[in-house]
Amino acid sequence: MSKNAIPLEQIRQSRILVVGDMMLDRYWFGDVDRISPEAPVPVVQVKRSDERLGGAANVARNASALGAQVGMLGVVGDDEPGRTLEALLAADKVQPYLHRDASVNTTIKLRVIAHQQQLLRVDFENPPAHETLASVLDRFNGLVRDYEVVVLSDYAKGGLAHVARMIEAGRAAGKAVLVDPKGDDYSRYRGATLITPNRAEMRHVVGAWKTEADLTIRAQNLRRQLQLEALLLTRSEEGMTLYTEAEVLHVSAQAREVYDVSGAGDTVIATLATMLGAGVPLKEAVQHANRAGAIVVGKLGTAVVTYPELFGASA
């Protein structure tokens, strides 16, 4: 066990409410041994399939895998993928608070993989109705008092249309509100406790930076403008940087073979939320989140990091 390990019983006290764009990740695995005679594309002979929680549901799954008590609030279609998603949440010990909207299809990302390489991704999605989103906001207002940390996972699929009001309600209830942002209008995240953009997302919002000092100025200006307590910039092989009023803390990436980066941001924010919910100080929580991110990129597809993996004998 790592000397920096957080006791599992402490982790189990962490109560996380995840809200956002859920999706079902479907994988078709197969072999390729010929090119189609109809077009210059590979023919995949599918051998097996897999289904996993994706998007905001992957955040919930990751927090639960670490040992936290997790609720998942969001919208699914009244369809087979929606029912599958609910069953997967239950199997991963996540409490589902799902609103079914018959006018939408549950978001699916279908990935076709051969010889450990992704050949194709097919997306099925459409945004939920306004009335459904209003009922999600009402449900959020009723649930927020039962959780210590709120994670708003924005995948720009329409499920967080009321994100500003959720942040306001969460902060008014005294909860930490963490946001995984999307798009170029971060004003809607004003007042959150912390946001976790990656490099590409950050560049899209503040522009390209030339030096580390230039980046620090841009990041701190954005943090103050949005009235955030902290901004955590995830930087892939460069690690991550935490910006607060008191300091700038850089955490170097842990050298590991990168196999698949899909879902790594979900793991980072889930770990961060779990640690904060367990009473771990922010700077220490960032260190654990950085390690979790390094572990998960060594796995294929959307995956989780378990408590033993994060804090085990090899830590």
Side-chain angles (χ1 to χ4, degrees):
M1 187 67 68
S2 165
K3 66 181 188 306
N4 298 319
I6 309 302
L8 182 56
E9 286 308 309
Q10 186 177 340
I11 297 286
R12 285 176 174 155
Q13 301 306 308
S14 186
R15 293 180 57 79
I16 314 296
L17 179 62
V18 181
V19 189
D21 298 308
M22 294 178 292
M23 52 194 75
L24 184 62
D25 284 350
R26 284 191 158 143
Y27 296 86
W28 289 355
F29 298 94
D31 297 325
V32 173
D33 53 22
R34 64 192 179 100
I35 300 299
S36 171
E38 304 163 358
V41 294
V43 175
V44 181
Q45 184 72 36
V46 175
K47 304 287 185 161
R48 66 183 178 91
S49 61
D50 192 14
E51 295 177 320
R52 304 178 192 176
L53 295 169
N58 188 45
V59 177
R61 173 185 177 224
N62 267 270
S64 180
L66 288 171
Q69 302 175 57
V70 188
M72 177 72 239
L73 173 62
V75 180
V76 294
D78 188 9
D79 51 18
E80 176 273 325
R83 289 184 284 277
T84 299
L85 202 150
E86 183 171 21
L88 288 172
L89 285 168
D92 283 323
K93 300 180 181 176
V94 175
Q95 175 65 50
Y97 305 109
L98 306 187
H99 288 245
R100 285 186 171 77
D101 184 344
S103 70
V104 307
N105 298 315
T106 299
T107 299
I108 300 171
K109 289 184 179 179
L110 171 62
R111 297 173 175 92
V112 181
I113 297 171
H115 308 296
Q116 308 301 320
Q117 296 291 322
Q118 185 176 180
L119 300 183
L120 177 70
R121 195 181 93 184
V122 183
D123 291 4
F124 305 83
E125 63 186 55
N126 56 309
H130 179 78
E131 296 77 10
T132 306
L133 294 173
S135 67
V136 169
L137 178 60
D138 289 341
R139 190 73 181 275
F140 175 84
N141 290 333
L143 288 170
V144 69
R145 66 179 67 91
D146 297 329
Y147 292 88
E148 275 109 34
V149 180
V150 174
V151 178
L152 301 173
S153 179
D154 195 346
Y155 271 79
K157 307 300 183 189
L160 283 176
H162 298 300
V163 66
R165 293 169 71 180
M166 289 178 176
I167 291 170
E168 185 180 0
R171 298 297 280 150
K175 313 300 181 180
V177 179
L178 280 51
V179 181
D180 190 356
K182 278 291 182 294
D184 55 8
D185 180 16
Y186 278 19
S187 64
R188 58 208 215 102
Y189 306 130
R190 181 173 283 109
T193 306
L194 176 148
I195 63 173
T196 60
N198 61 32
R199 281 183 303 193
E201 291 164 344
M202 187 73 167
R203 195 175 295 116
H204 197 52
V205 173
V206 303
W209 51 88
K210 296 180 175 61
T211 64
E212 198 66 28
D214 182 19
L215 170 59
T216 296
I217 291 169
R218 292 169 189 256
Q220 291 287 39
N221 284 344
L222 178 63
R223 185 188 60 77
R224 294 184 185 110
Q225 176 189 338
L226 297 178
Q227 299 166 20
L228 309 170
E229 291 181 17
L231 186 153
L232 180 64
L233 176 63
T234 59
R235 308 174 67 173
S236 299
E237 74 281 357
E238 295 176 358
M240 31 180 94
T241 307
L242 177 70
Y243 301 91
T244 65
E245 193 61 41
E247 66 179 327
V248 176
L249 173 70
H250 184 70
V251 183
S252 297
Q254 303 200 3
R256 286 177 181 264
E257 185 176 354
V258 176
Y259 193 65
D260 190 341
V261 299
S262 59
D266 298 337
T267 300
V268 167
I269 199 168
T271 306
L272 196 62
T274 298
M275 296 302 147
L276 293 176
V280 177
L282 177 58
K283 290 202 298 188
E284 186 181 346
V286 168
Q287 301 278 355
H288 294 309
N290 184 58
R291 175 170 168 75
I295 293 169
V296 84
V297 296
K299 302 182 179 188
L300 176 63
T302 47
V304 299
V305 174
T306 64
Y307 180 91
E309 286 175 314
L310 191 58
F311 295 119
S314 62

